[in-house]
Amino acid sequence: MTSVDEQPIPIRLVAHHAFCPRRAWLEALGETTDTHQVAVGVAAHHAVDDPGRSRAQAMRSVDVLSAEHGLVGRCDSVQIDDDGRTTVVEYKSTPVRRRPAVTDAMRVQLALQTIALREQGRTVDAAAIWFVDHRQYADVAIGPDELDAALEQLRRLRAVLDAQTAPEPLVDDPRCRTCSHAGVCLPDERALEPVTRRVLVADPDSQVLHLATPGARAALRSGRVRVVKGDDELRTVPIERVLALVVHGNVDVSSGLLRELLWRRCPTVWCSGTGRVIGWASSANSPNGGPRVHQHVASANGHLGLARGFVAAKIGNQATMIRRHGEGDAHATLRRLQRRADDATSTAELYGIEGDAAARYFEAFTTMLSPSVRQWASFAGRTRRPASDPVNAALNLTYGLLLSDAIRAIVACGLDPHAGFLHSSGRNKPALALDLIEEFRAPVADSVVIGTFNNGELKPASFSHVTGSTRLRDSGRAAVITAYERRVTTSFRHPIFGYDVTWRRAMEVQARLILGVLDGTQHRYKGVTVR
Ligand code: SF4
């Protein structure tokens, strides 16, 4: 991480360091979370976040700066009583069922505010916490010991921020249960072992919005995404429910909507009608700049551990698909190749194993289609673009959808979709996103394709055939996108961590495990494999 000597450190960050050094690191790297705890904390400050409502004896949102210690911050309230006594007050939310206790982090915050206010020439006689939910004051003594302890926290925080590797997550610590950053920190997942405690992080209550009706237009209207075609309103969704936007083919998106999505750090991905990813827009405000630099260095130097993880998991999942849905014994060969991938000693060896596995897998692919489908949807192997048959056309689209999801997951944790470890960055493709989708191809994309054919969602009329190439018609594309969304929002039992998780969240967790390898807190990478 860059040295922070030149810029003042937020007092809030020092308080978070007192709570957990890793939490401060994550925040300093720009990780933000949209959790209930954060919403409650913001709500607790509503009464004091408007400096315009200050009175002479109760100033609100008072900005403070300590040039001597390189600190900046904001006091919720500075109150002056009739005797001229000045008290600095912080507003905190604590669930009513829990005791309103003053923590070390609160003490540190008040002490540093006191230091900054005194440096600005104000007298500070006392400090207190106002517990919003309990409507209760708690006086906090700030003497020389508290001031020294707060400055010691500041010194330790500087050391953390100047370090090259992230602080290790806490181990089996109750603080993680209430930490708003647990969903990005993944303290229990780092060990790649079953997570035994109750996981409090929910999947986001939002969705990826696909715009796939040719000629439609999406715009922002009164806080909702409104999709229209001509005079018809096709869909309207609250903007808070949108996790990302995927635009398929000829659909317009207003600049107002794009700006709002970027402001909310929700990426937009544009695909062609056949599922080829054309480009994406992501917010300029991106976390983890330091690890992103490490990513580029590791990508240039090669990272066999990551590459092995992607390939071994991919082949393992291909073996499972064939064993579950196909015929013959290709799955046994694939299992052997999976073990070889796990032990590969070079990337070149991995490429060979991966190519071998792909040939075996796609030879057996047809056996997963029902006999009636095989009669009209012949599949003689994987042909990319243009697709030569219905199965390849559907595979192209689902791989494009998977790539869009991987790009979203990678961008969300601040990594660069282009700097990969298995796919070459020199091929001008989003190499890391292609790396990440390897383990999800069979259980997500291929599973969707097999399902949509076998259950009749895709039929001959879903395709058009022009001069040797096969394309999905609009109805076929809609069927595949619907089935894909159904699949990625379905929960499964995570093979390592043992908890239920959606495939979409699993993709982001895997992206964060890659990030962990790059920031030094993840000692190896293991792909998701289904049994
Ligand atoms: S989840 Fe735990 S280890 Fe991670 S930042 Fe929060 S308190 Fe620290």
Side-chain angles (χ1 to χ4, degrees):
M1 192 180 291
T2 325
S3 169
V4 291
D5 286 347
E6 320 82 46
Q7 50 186 329
I9 290 187
I11 289 174
R12 173 185 44 78
L13 204 59
V14 190
H16 286 158
H17 179 272
F19 174 73
C20 167
R22 185 168 163 83
R23 164 85 180 263
W25 163 279
L26 291 170
E27 283 197 34
L29 263 72
E31 290 280 22
T32 54
T33 59
D34 186 16
T35 58
H36 176 68
Q37 293 103 303
V38 172
V40 166
V42 170
H45 286 81
H46 271 163
V48 282
D49 64 5
D50 179 6
R53 292 170 63 196
S54 290
R55 289 178 284 113
Q57 292 191 311
M59 291 173 281
R60 294 165 186 239
S61 285
V62 179
D63 288 327
V64 291
L65 175 75
S66 164
E68 183 185 346
H69 297 289
L71 286 168
V72 67
R74 177 169 280 190
C75 306
D76 286 342
S77 178
V78 177
Q79 299 175 1
I80 303 160
D81 68 18
D82 293 343
D83 302 331
R85 241 173 92 80
T86 302
T87 305
V88 56
V89 182
E90 264 302 294
Y91 281 48
K92 295 291 178 198
S93 169
T94 302
V96 174
R97 66 180 189 284
R98 221 180 290 145
R99 207 163 48 85
V102 176
T103 63
D104 286 346
M106 294 176 197
R107 247 181 230 106
V108 164
Q109 191 171 7
L110 287 169
L112 294 179
Q113 288 169 348
T114 301
I115 287 170
L117 282 165
R118 285 179 179 163
E119 194 179 313
Q120 286 176 215
R122 291 180 193 271
T123 307
V124 180
D125 304 293
I129 298 289
W130 169 247
F131 289 101
V132 176
D133 310 275
H134 293 76
R135 304 194 58 73
Q136 194 176 314
Y137 270 104
D139 291 326
V140 182
I142 301 292
D145 288 351
E146 285 73 21
L147 297 177
D148 285 350
L151 290 174
E152 174 60 16
Q153 284 294 342
L154 174 61
R155 194 189 61 71
R156 289 193 204 163
L157 171 62
R158 283 192 198 283
V160 163
L161 298 185
D162 282 339
Q164 287 300 307
T165 54
E168 292 282 339
L170 302 173
V171 178
D172 199 17
D173 191 292
R175 276 173 283 181
C176 299
R177 286 183 182 274
T178 55
C179 177
S180 61
H181 281 52
V184 295
C185 169
L186 305 178
D188 297 328
E189 286 83 346
R190 298 282 163 204
L192 294 180
E193 286 172 5
V195 173
T196 48
R197 74 187 173 105
R198 192 160 71 90
V199 174
L200 299 176
V201 185
D203 285 311
D205 181 26
S206 48
Q207 56 190 302
V208 172
L209 186 60
H210 292 268
L211 303 177
T213 305
R217 176 178 166 77
L220 189 66
R221 176 78 63 85
S222 307
R224 297 178 76 88
V225 180
R226 185 164 178 264
V227 188
V228 296
K229 182 170 182 183
D231 294 334
D232 297 335
E233 180 176 277
L234 304 180
R235 185 101 189 257
T236 156
V237 185
I239 185 83
E240 294 81 21
R241 297 288 312 279
V242 178
L243 182 66
L245 196 65
V246 181
V247 184
H248 301 264
N250 176 27
V251 180
D252 265 359
V253 180
S254 79
S255 65
L257 173 57
L258 266 180
R259 192 174 53 238
E260 184 65 24
L261 290 169
L262 292 173
W263 181 253
R264 291 168 179 269
R265 285 169 52 166
C266 300
T268 299
V269 180
W270 282 268
C271 299
S272 70
T274 58
R276 185 195 289 267
V277 172
I278 297 166
W280 60 90
S282 60
S283 170
N285 190 357
S286 169
N288 293 310
R292 194 158 58 245
V293 173
H294 294 171
Q295 176 194 358
H296 282 271
V297 173
S299 173
N301 294 339
H303 198 301
L304 186 60
L306 284 166
R308 258 196 312 241
F310 302 135
V311 175
K314 173 187 182 175
I315 300 175
N317 288 335
Q318 288 174 331
T320 302
M321 272 294 280
I322 297 291
R323 181 180 55 74
R324 277 194 198 164
H325 307 287
E327 297 158 9
D329 58 1
H331 61 91
T333 310
L334 289 167
R335 281 278 172 246
R336 278 196 293 280
L337 289 168
Q338 179 190 2
R339 284 192 288 276
R340 279 184 52 205
D342 261 331
D343 297 332
T345 53
S346 70
T347 320
E349 187 185 349
L350 267 179
Y351 290 148
I353 297 168
E354 197 262 341
D356 222 358
R360 302 299 177 109
Y361 176 65
F362 283 113
E363 268 166 31
F365 196 90
T366 317
T367 67
M368 295 191 282
L369 296 169
S370 68
S372 60
V373 171
R374 284 181 229 170
Q375 283 179 5
W376 64 270
S378 63
F379 176 74
R382 183 82 181 105
T383 59
R384 287 177 175 77
R385 295 171 197 279
S388 56
D389 57 77
V391 175
N392 272 299
L395 285 172
N396 285 349
L397 176 56
T398 50
Y399 292 158
L401 293 169
L402 202 50
L403 193 60
S404 306
D405 257 320
I407 289 167
R408 186 202 61 76
I410 288 167
V411 165
C413 56
L415 293 177
D416 178 353
H418 274 279
F421 304 98
L422 175 67
H423 292 82
S424 165
S425 304
R427 288 184 56 222
N428 308 322
K429 298 264 195 279
L432 182 62
L434 289 165
D435 288 354
L436 180 59
I437 68 173
E438 293 293 18
E439 63 203 73
F440 295 98
R441 282 183 193 265
V444 178
D446 298 352
S447 163
V448 165
V449 170
I450 300 291
T452 46
F453 276 102
N454 285 351
N455 66 21
E457 285 170 280
L458 287 177
K459 20 185 178 306
S462 308
F463 299 88
S464 63
H465 307 272
V466 182
T467 56
S469 80
T470 301
R471 298 173 69 110
L472 280 152
R473 295 186 195 277
D474 292 346
S475 61
R477 191 162 56 240
V480 172
I481 293 171
T482 303
Y484 176 85
E485 275 303 308
R486 218 164 43 223
R487 182 69 178 160
V488 284
T489 52
T490 299
S491 293
F492 70 107
R493 181 56 55 102
H494 196 286
I496 304 171
F497 309 134
Y499 53 63
D500 288 347
V501 63
T502 64
W503 283 101
R504 179 165 279 142
R505 169 73 185 156
M507 244 180 273
E508 185 168 334
V509 169
Q510 293 305 111
R512 291 197 173 279
L513 297 186
I514 297 171
L515 173 68
V517 170
L518 299 168
D519 75 17
T521 48
Q522 183 71 41
H523 302 299
R524 72 193 168 96
Y525 180 83
K526 198 165 182 335
V528 169
T529 47
V530 286
R531 295 192 189 98

